[in-house]
Amino acid sequence: MKVLGIMGSPRRGSNTDILLDKALEGAAQAGAEVEKVLISKLKITPCLEIYACLKDGNCSIKDDMRELYDKLVEADHVILASPIFFYGITAQAKALVDRSQALWVRKHVLKTLGEDRRERRGLFISVGATKGEKLFDGAVLTVKYFFDAIDVKYAGDLLIRGVDDRGEIAEHPGHLEDALRLGRELVAGV
Ligand SMILES: Cc1cc2nc3c(=O)[nH]c(=O)nc-3n(C[C@H](O)[C@H](O)[C@H](O)COP(=O)(O)O)c2cc1C
C-alpha cells in the first residue's frame, strides 16, 4: 500500500512539513510505503486551459507534473499538506490542484479513472496563523474538489489555527500526535 504525501509549503523547516512527516510516519507504522513530494522544488506550470486533456486525459504541458500524474493515480492514499495563504492553499499547491483537471477528465469524461473501484482515501493537513472560524473554509472546499477529481475520498483533516513562526508546530506535541494518529488511521481505514 502506497501513501503519497504532497508538501505545499515553500518554506524550509515549515510547520506543514513537520506535520506531514508525522502523518507519513504514522502511515509507515501502519505498514504503508510512503513517499513525500516537495512541490516547491518542482516546476509545475499553472493550468493554461488548452484542454488537450479532453482527448485522452493527458496534459500537453511538459513539466514536472508529468511524473506526478502517475504518482497520484498509483497511490492508494494521498495526504495534501499546505499552509493557509490568503484563506486558501499556497499557489504551489493550487497549481498542482488545477493541473489535476486532466485526471478529472479521466474520471468524469473518459471514465478511465476509478474503474478498479479501489477505495482511495485522502487527508488534508493545514496550518494558519490566525484563529478565525472561517480560516480553512476556502482551502477545505478546494481540497474536497481536488480529491474528488482524482478519485480519492476526503477522509479527514487536521486544521491547526494560531501557528505562525517557522517550525513552531514542534512545540505543540498534541498536534504532532494527532498527525501521527491520522496517518495511521488513513492506512488502517478507521
Ligand atoms: C503569503 C502569506 C499569506 C498568508 N495568509 C494567511 C491567512 O490568510 N491566514 C492566516 O491565518 N495565516 C496566513 N499566513 C500565515 C501562515 O499560514 C503561517 O505562517 C503558517 O504557519 C505557515 O506555515 P508553514 O510554516 O507550513 O509554511 C500567510 C503567510 C504568508 C507567507
Side-chain angles (χ1 to χ4, degrees), residues 42-79:
L42 303 179
K43 179 163 171 24
I44 301 178
T45 307
C47 175
L48 299 176
E49 276 197 284
I50 300 163
Y51 281 112
C53 59
L54 278 175
K55 270 188 296 174
D56 58 4
N58 290 311
C59 180
S60 59
I61 303 171
K62 293 183 178 57
D63 61 10
D64 293 335
M65 193 62 202
R66 296 216 140 178
E67 273 176 46
L68 268 179
Y69 287 122
D70 291 341
K71 291 185 196 295
L72 286 168
V73 169
E74 281 162 18
D76 293 288
H77 306 301
V78 176
I79 305 175

CSV table of all heavy atoms in Angstrom, one decimal, residues 42-79:
chain,number,residue,atom,x,y,z
A,42,LEU,N,9.6,21.6,-7.5
A,42,LEU,CA,9.2,21.1,-8.8
A,42,LEU,C,8.8,22.3,-9.7
A,42,LEU,O,8.4,23.3,-9.2
A,42,LEU,CB,8.1,20.1,-8.7
A,42,LEU,CG,8.3,18.9,-7.9
A,42,LEU,CD1,7.1,18.0,-7.9
A,42,LEU,CD2,9.5,18.1,-8.4
A,43,LYS,N,8.8,22.1,-11.0
A,43,LYS,CA,8.3,23.1,-11.9
A,43,LYS,C,6.9,22.6,-12.3
A,43,LYS,O,6.8,21.6,-13.1
A,43,LYS,CB,9.2,23.2,-13.1
A,43,LYS,CG,8.7,24.2,-14.1
A,43,LYS,CD,9.8,24.7,-15.1
A,43,LYS,CE,9.3,25.5,-16.2
A,43,LYS,NZ,8.0,26.2,-16.0
A,44,ILE,N,5.9,23.3,-11.8
A,44,ILE,CA,4.5,23.0,-12.1
A,44,ILE,C,3.9,24.3,-12.6
A,44,ILE,O,3.6,25.2,-11.9
A,44,ILE,CB,3.8,22.4,-10.9
A,44,ILE,CG1,4.5,21.1,-10.4
A,44,ILE,CG2,2.3,22.1,-11.3
A,44,ILE,CD1,3.8,20.5,-9.2
A,45,THR,N,3.7,24.3,-13.9
A,45,THR,CA,3.1,25.5,-14.6
A,45,THR,C,1.6,25.5,-14.2
A,45,THR,O,1.0,24.4,-14.2
A,45,THR,CB,3.2,25.3,-16.1
A,45,THR,OG1,4.6,25.1,-16.4
A,45,THR,CG2,2.8,26.5,-16.9
A,46,PRO,N,1.0,26.6,-14.0
A,46,PRO,CA,-0.4,26.6,-13.7
A,46,PRO,C,-1.2,26.2,-15.0
A,46,PRO,O,-0.6,26.3,-16.1
A,46,PRO,CB,-0.7,28.1,-13.5
A,46,PRO,CG,0.6,28.7,-13.1
A,46,PRO,CD,1.6,27.9,-13.8
A,47,CYS,N,-2.4,25.7,-14.8
A,47,CYS,CA,-3.2,25.2,-15.9
A,47,CYS,C,-3.3,26.3,-16.9
A,47,CYS,O,-3.6,27.5,-16.6
A,47,CYS,CB,-4.6,24.8,-15.4
A,47,CYS,SG,-5.7,24.3,-16.8
A,48,LEU,N,-3.1,26.0,-18.2
A,48,LEU,CA,-3.2,27.0,-19.3
A,48,LEU,C,-4.5,26.9,-20.1
A,48,LEU,O,-4.7,27.6,-21.1
A,48,LEU,CB,-2.0,26.9,-20.2
A,48,LEU,CG,-0.7,27.1,-19.5
A,48,LEU,CD1,0.5,26.9,-20.5
A,48,LEU,CD2,-0.6,28.6,-19.0
A,49,GLU,N,-5.4,26.1,-19.6
A,49,GLU,CA,-6.7,25.9,-20.3
A,49,GLU,C,-6.6,25.6,-21.8
A,49,GLU,O,-7.4,26.1,-22.6
A,49,GLU,CB,-7.6,27.1,-20.1
A,49,GLU,CG,-8.3,27.1,-18.8
A,49,GLU,CD,-9.5,28.1,-18.8
A,49,GLU,OE1,-9.2,29.3,-18.6
A,49,GLU,OE2,-10.6,27.7,-18.9
A,50,ILE,N,-5.7,24.7,-22.1
A,50,ILE,CA,-5.6,24.3,-23.5
A,50,ILE,C,-6.6,23.2,-23.8
A,50,ILE,O,-7.1,23.1,-24.9
A,50,ILE,CB,-4.1,23.7,-23.7
A,50,ILE,CG1,-3.1,24.7,-23.4
A,50,ILE,CG2,-3.9,23.1,-25.1
A,50,ILE,CD1,-1.7,24.2,-23.1
A,51,TYR,N,-7.0,22.5,-22.8
A,51,TYR,CA,-8.0,21.4,-22.9
A,51,TYR,C,-7.5,20.2,-23.8
A,51,TYR,O,-8.3,19.5,-24.3
A,51,TYR,CB,-9.3,21.9,-23.4
A,51,TYR,CG,-10.1,22.5,-22.2
A,51,TYR,CD1,-10.3,23.9,-22.2
A,51,TYR,CD2,-10.5,21.7,-21.1
A,51,TYR,CE1,-11.0,24.5,-21.1
A,51,TYR,CE2,-11.2,22.3,-20.0
A,51,TYR,CZ,-11.4,23.7,-20.0
A,51,TYR,OH,-12.0,24.2,-19.0
A,52,ALA,N,-6.2,20.1,-24.0
A,52,ALA,CA,-5.7,18.9,-24.7
A,52,ALA,C,-6.1,17.6,-23.9
A,52,ALA,O,-6.3,16.6,-24.5
A,52,ALA,CB,-4.2,19.0,-24.8
A,53,CYS,N,-6.2,17.8,-22.6
A,53,CYS,CA,-6.6,16.6,-21.8
A,53,CYS,C,-7.9,16.0,-22.1
A,53,CYS,O,-8.2,14.8,-21.8
A,53,CYS,CB,-6.5,17.0,-20.3
A,53,CYS,SG,-7.6,18.3,-19.8
A,54,LEU,N,-8.8,16.8,-22.8
A,54,LEU,CA,-10.1,16.2,-23.1
A,54,LEU,C,-10.0,15.1,-24.1
A,54,LEU,O,-10.9,14.2,-24.1
A,54,LEU,CB,-11.0,17.3,-23.7
A,54,LEU,CG,-11.7,18.2,-22.7
A,54,LEU,CD1,-12.4,19.3,-23.5
A,54,LEU,CD2,-12.6,17.4,-21.8
A,55,LYS,N,-8.9,15.0,-24.9
A,55,LYS,CA,-8.7,14.0,-25.9
A,55,LYS,C,-8.5,12.6,-25.2
A,55,LYS,O,-9.1,11.6,-25.5
A,55,LYS,CB,-7.5,14.3,-26.8
A,55,LYS,CG,-7.9,15.0,-28.0
A,55,LYS,CD,-6.7,15.1,-28.9
A,55,LYS,CE,-5.6,15.9,-28.3
A,55,LYS,NZ,-4.3,16.1,-28.7
A,56,ASP,N,-7.4,12.6,-24.3
A,56,ASP,CA,-7.0,11.3,-23.7
A,56,ASP,C,-6.7,11.4,-22.3
A,56,ASP,O,-6.1,10.4,-21.7
A,56,ASP,CB,-5.8,10.7,-24.5
A,56,ASP,CG,-4.7,11.7,-24.5
A,56,ASP,OD1,-4.8,12.7,-23.9
A,56,ASP,OD2,-3.7,11.4,-25.2
A,57,GLY,N,-7.0,12.5,-21.6
A,57,GLY,CA,-6.7,12.6,-20.2
A,57,GLY,C,-5.3,12.9,-19.9
A,57,GLY,O,-4.8,12.9,-18.7
A,58,ASN,N,-4.5,13.3,-20.9
A,58,ASN,CA,-3.1,13.7,-20.7
A,58,ASN,C,-2.9,15.2,-21.0
A,58,ASN,O,-3.5,15.7,-22.0
A,58,ASN,CB,-2.2,12.9,-21.6
A,58,ASN,CG,-2.1,11.5,-21.2
A,58,ASN,OD1,-1.9,11.2,-20.0
A,58,ASN,ND2,-2.3,10.6,-22.1
A,59,CYS,N,-2.2,15.9,-20.1
A,59,CYS,CA,-1.9,17.3,-20.2
A,59,CYS,C,-0.8,17.5,-21.2
A,59,CYS,O,0.2,16.7,-21.2
A,59,CYS,CB,-1.6,17.9,-18.9
A,59,CYS,SG,-1.2,19.6,-18.9
A,60,SER,N,-0.9,18.5,-22.1
A,60,SER,CA,0.1,18.7,-23.1
A,60,SER,C,1.3,19.5,-22.6
A,60,SER,O,2.3,19.7,-23.2
A,60,SER,CB,-0.5,19.4,-24.3
A,60,SER,OG,-1.0,20.7,-23.9
A,61,ILE,N,1.2,20.1,-21.3
A,61,ILE,CA,2.4,20.8,-20.8
A,61,ILE,C,3.4,19.9,-20.3
A,61,ILE,O,3.2,19.0,-19.5
A,61,ILE,CB,1.9,21.7,-19.6
A,61,ILE,CG1,0.8,22.7,-20.1
A,61,ILE,CG2,3.1,22.5,-19.1
A,61,ILE,CD1,0.1,23.4,-18.9
A,62,LYS,N,4.7,20.1,-20.8
A,62,LYS,CA,5.8,19.2,-20.4
A,62,LYS,C,6.5,19.8,-19.2
A,62,LYS,O,7.4,20.7,-19.4
A,62,LYS,CB,6.7,19.0,-21.6
A,62,LYS,CG,6.0,18.2,-22.7
A,62,LYS,CD,7.0,18.0,-23.9
A,62,LYS,CE,6.4,17.2,-25.0
A,62,LYS,NZ,5.1,17.8,-25.5
A,63,ASP,N,6.2,19.4,-18.1
A,63,ASP,CA,6.9,19.8,-16.9
A,63,ASP,C,6.9,18.7,-15.8
A,63,ASP,O,6.5,17.6,-16.1
A,63,ASP,CB,6.4,21.2,-16.4
A,63,ASP,CG,4.9,21.1,-15.9
A,63,ASP,OD1,4.4,20.0,-15.8
A,63,ASP,OD2,4.3,22.2,-15.6
A,64,ASP,N,7.2,19.1,-14.6
A,64,ASP,CA,7.3,18.0,-13.5
A,64,ASP,C,6.0,17.4,-13.2
A,64,ASP,O,6.0,16.4,-12.5
A,64,ASP,CB,8.0,18.6,-12.3
A,64,ASP,CG,9.5,18.9,-12.5
A,64,ASP,OD1,10.1,18.3,-13.4
A,64,ASP,OD2,10.0,19.8,-11.8
A,65,MET,N,4.9,18.0,-13.6
A,65,MET,CA,3.6,17.4,-13.3
A,65,MET,C,3.4,16.1,-14.0
A,65,MET,O,2.6,15.2,-13.5
A,65,MET,CB,2.5,18.4,-13.8
A,65,MET,CG,1.1,18.1,-13.3
A,65,MET,SD,1.0,18.2,-11.5
A,65,MET,CE,-0.5,17.2,-11.2
A,66,ARG,N,4.2,15.8,-15.0
A,66,ARG,CA,4.0,14.6,-15.8
A,66,ARG,C,4.2,13.4,-14.9
A,66,ARG,O,3.4,12.4,-14.9
A,66,ARG,CB,5.1,14.5,-16.9
A,66,ARG,CG,4.8,15.6,-17.9
A,66,ARG,CD,5.1,15.1,-19.3
A,66,ARG,NE,4.1,15.6,-20.2
A,66,ARG,CZ,4.1,15.4,-21.5
A,66,ARG,NH1,5.1,14.7,-22.0
A,66,ARG,NH2,3.1,15.9,-22.2
A,67,GLU,N,5.3,13.4,-14.0
A,67,GLU,CA,5.6,12.3,-13.1
A,67,GLU,C,4.5,12.2,-12.0
A,67,GLU,O,4.2,11.2,-11.5
A,67,GLU,CB,6.9,12.6,-12.4
A,67,GLU,CG,8.1,12.1,-13.1
A,67,GLU,CD,9.3,12.5,-12.3
A,67,GLU,OE1,9.3,12.4,-11.0
A,67,GLU,OE2,10.3,13.0,-12.9
A,68,LEU,N,4.0,13.4,-11.6
A,68,LEU,CA,3.1,13.5,-10.5
A,68,LEU,C,1.7,12.8,-10.9
A,68,LEU,O,1.1,12.3,-10.1
A,68,LEU,CB,2.9,14.9,-10.1
A,68,LEU,CG,3.8,15.4,-8.9
A,68,LEU,CD1,3.5,16.8,-8.6
A,68,LEU,CD2,3.6,14.5,-7.7
A,69,TYR,N,1.4,12.9,-12.2
A,69,TYR,CA,0.1,12.3,-12.6
A,69,TYR,C,0.1,10.8,-12.2
A,69,TYR,O,-0.8,10.3,-11.7
A,69,TYR,CB,-0.2,12.5,-14.1
A,69,TYR,CG,-0.6,13.9,-14.5
A,69,TYR,CD1,0.1,14.6,-15.4
A,69,TYR,CD2,-1.7,14.5,-13.9
A,69,TYR,CE1,-0.2,15.9,-15.8
A,69,TYR,CE2,-2.1,15.8,-14.3
A,69,TYR,CZ,-1.4,16.5,-15.2
A,69,TYR,OH,-1.7,17.7,-15.6
A,70,ASP,N,1.3,10.2,-12.6
A,70,ASP,CA,1.4,8.7,-12.3
A,70,ASP,C,1.3,8.5,-10.8
A,70,ASP,O,0.7,7.5,-10.4
A,70,ASP,CB,2.7,8.2,-12.9
A,70,ASP,CG,2.7,8.2,-14.4
A,70,ASP,OD1,1.6,8.3,-15.0
A,70,ASP,OD2,3.8,8.1,-15.0
A,71,LYS,N,2.0,9.3,-10.1
A,71,LYS,CA,2.1,9.1,-8.6
A,71,LYS,C,0.7,9.3,-8.0
A,71,LYS,O,0.2,8.5,-7.1
A,71,LYS,CB,3.0,10.1,-7.9
A,71,LYS,CG,4.5,9.8,-8.3
A,71,LYS,CD,5.4,10.8,-7.4
A,71,LYS,CE,6.8,10.9,-8.0
A,71,LYS,NZ,7.6,9.6,-7.9
A,72,LEU,N,-0.1,10.3,-8.5
A,72,LEU,CA,-1.4,10.5,-8.0
A,72,LEU,C,-2.4,9.4,-8.3
A,72,LEU,O,-3.3,9.0,-7.6
A,72,LEU,CB,-2.0,11.8,-8.6
A,72,LEU,CG,-1.4,13.1,-8.0
A,72,LEU,CD1,-1.8,14.3,-8.8
A,72,LEU,CD2,-1.8,13.3,-6.5
A,73,VAL,N,-2.2,8.7,-9.5
A,73,VAL,CA,-3.0,7.6,-9.9
A,73,VAL,C,-2.7,6.3,-9.2
A,73,VAL,O,-3.5,5.6,-8.8
A,73,VAL,CB,-2.9,7.5,-11.4
A,73,VAL,CG1,-3.6,6.2,-11.9
A,73,VAL,CG2,-3.6,8.6,-12.1
A,74,GLU,N,-1.3,6.2,-9.0
A,74,GLU,CA,-0.9,4.9,-8.4
A,74,GLU,C,-1.1,4.8,-6.8
A,74,GLU,O,-1.2,3.7,-6.3
A,74,GLU,CB,0.6,4.6,-8.7
A,74,GLU,CG,0.7,4.1,-10.1
A,74,GLU,CD,2.2,4.3,-10.6
A,74,GLU,OE1,3.1,4.5,-9.8
A,74,GLU,OE2,2.3,4.2,-11.9
A,75,ALA,N,-1.1,6.0,-6.2
A,75,ALA,CA,-1.1,6.0,-4.7
A,75,ALA,C,-2.4,5.4,-4.2
A,75,ALA,O,-3.5,5.5,-4.8
A,75,ALA,CB,-1.0,7.4,-4.2
A,76,ASP,N,-2.3,4.6,-3.1
A,76,ASP,CA,-3.6,4.1,-2.5
A,76,ASP,C,-4.3,5.2,-1.7
A,76,ASP,O,-5.5,5.3,-1.7
A,76,ASP,CB,-3.2,2.9,-1.6
A,76,ASP,CG,-2.7,1.8,-2.5
A,76,ASP,OD1,-3.6,1.2,-3.2
A,76,ASP,OD2,-1.5,1.5,-2.5
A,77,HIS,N,-3.4,6.0,-1.1
A,77,HIS,CA,-4.0,7.1,-0.3
A,77,HIS,C,-3.1,8.4,-0.5
A,77,HIS,O,-1.9,8.2,-0.8
A,77,HIS,CB,-4.0,6.8,1.2
A,77,HIS,CG,-4.8,5.5,1.5
A,77,HIS,ND1,-6.1,5.3,1.1
A,77,HIS,CD2,-4.4,4.3,2.0
A,77,HIS,CE1,-6.5,4.1,1.4
A,77,HIS,NE2,-5.5,3.5,2.0
A,78,VAL,N,-3.7,9.5,-0.3
A,78,VAL,CA,-3.0,10.8,-0.6
A,78,VAL,C,-3.1,11.7,0.6
A,78,VAL,O,-4.2,11.9,1.2
A,78,VAL,CB,-3.6,11.5,-1.9
A,78,VAL,CG1,-2.9,12.8,-2.1
A,78,VAL,CG2,-3.4,10.6,-3.1
A,79,ILE,N,-2.0,12.4,1.0
A,79,ILE,CA,-2.1,13.4,2.0
A,79,ILE,C,-1.7,14.7,1.3
A,79,ILE,O,-0.6,14.8,0.8
A,79,ILE,CB,-1.2,13.1,3.2
A,79,ILE,CG1,-1.5,11.7,3.8
A,79,ILE,CG2,-1.3,14.2,4.3
A,79,ILE,CD1,-0.5,11.3,4.9
